[in-house]
Amino acid sequence: MSANSADRNPQPADRNPQLDVVLVKAGRTKIRYSGELLADDGTRVAVRAAWAGSGVRDFGFVRFEPGDVFTEYYWRDRWYAVKEVRSGTGTLKGWYCDVTRPARRSGPELVVEDLDLDLWLSADGTDVRRLDEDEFAESGLGESDPEAASAALAALDELESLARGDGFAALLA
C-alpha cells in the first residue's frame, strides 16, 4: 500500500476537488497554483489548471498565455512531470515536461521539486527540445547530490526518447 493511499479518495463524477500544486526550486516556492484534481491512482496524479503565470510567456517556439489550459501528470515514482498544453479554444500546443524529484502529495497539496531540466514536444511532434541544461549545470546538483543529478539526466533522456518515439500516448493514457 502506498504511503499516499489515503489521498486516493473517490470523488463524485460531477465534482473534482481542488489541489494546490507547489513547485519548489532550490528550497523555495517558485509558484503555487490551484488546479482540478482529475485522478490519483497512488502512483500518478493528474491535475487540470489554467496558465498560472502572469501575462504571456513567449519562449519563441511556444507561447503560454492567459486562457491556456494545462493537463498535468505527476508521478510519485518518476523524476519528471508532463504537461499537455492547450489554448483556450482547445487547440493542442504541445507538451512541456519538467524534470523533478518524484511528486509528494499531502492532503490538498502536491509538492514538486524542479531540477531545472525541461523538454518541449510540439503538437505535431516535429520539435523536440531539451531545455535549461545550462541552468542544471550551474545549479551544483551534480556536486551536492550526484545520485539526484544522475536520476535527473536519466529522466531527461527518457523523456526525449518517449518524445521522439510515440511514447507519450501510452504514458499519459
Side-chain angles (χ1 to χ4, degrees):
M1 178 178 261
S2 163
N4 294 302
S5 61
D7 294 327
R8 295 184 304 169
N9 298 330
Q11 298 297 320
D14 60 342
R15 168 135 161 59
N16 288 329
Q18 294 294 297
L19 185 68
D20 285 342
V21 178
V22 182
L23 185 63
V24 176
K25 187 171 180 176
R28 303 177 121 170
T29 298
K30 181 177 174 183
I31 191 168
R32 170 189 289 268
Y33 56 91
S34 189
E36 176 187 8
L37 175 63
L38 301 176
D40 182 351
D41 66 8
T43 301
R44 186 178 80 176
V45 180
V47 177
R48 183 175 300 121
W51 164 241
S54 58
V56 173
R57 178 97 189 260
D58 190 342
F59 292 95
F61 52 89
V62 67
R63 286 170 50 101
F64 297 157
E65 50 203 334
D68 285 353
V69 177
F70 289 66
T71 303
E72 306 175 354
Y73 300 89
Y74 300 92
W75 286 265
R76 291 180 175 96
D77 62 351
R78 297 181 189 212
W79 286 69
Y80 55 77
V82 177
K83 301 170 182 181
E84 179 186 276
V85 185
R86 292 185 178 271
S87 71
T89 61
T91 302
L92 179 64
K93 292 184 174 188
W95 294 267
Y96 195 91
C97 308
D98 289 317
V99 174
T100 67
R101 290 185 188 267
R104 294 174 286 120
R105 181 168 175 209
S106 178
E109 272 191 354
L110 182 69
V111 179
V112 184
E113 184 179 347
D114 184 358
L115 298 177
D116 293 310
L117 295 170
D118 301 300
L119 183 120
W120 169 253
L121 171 62
S122 62
D124 65 6
T126 61
D127 187 6
V128 178
R129 295 174 184 245
R130 294 169 71 110
L131 304 167
D132 303 326
E133 290 178 291
D134 55 336
E135 287 182 32
F136 178 75
E138 293 168 7
S139 75
L141 189 64
E143 294 76 37
S144 65
D145 191 345
E147 287 183 32
S150 178
L153 290 168
L156 183 61
D157 289 343
E158 179 182 347
L159 286 166
E160 183 177 14
S161 177
L162 289 167
R164 293 194 185 282
D166 195 20
F168 276 22
L171 180 67
L172 304 180

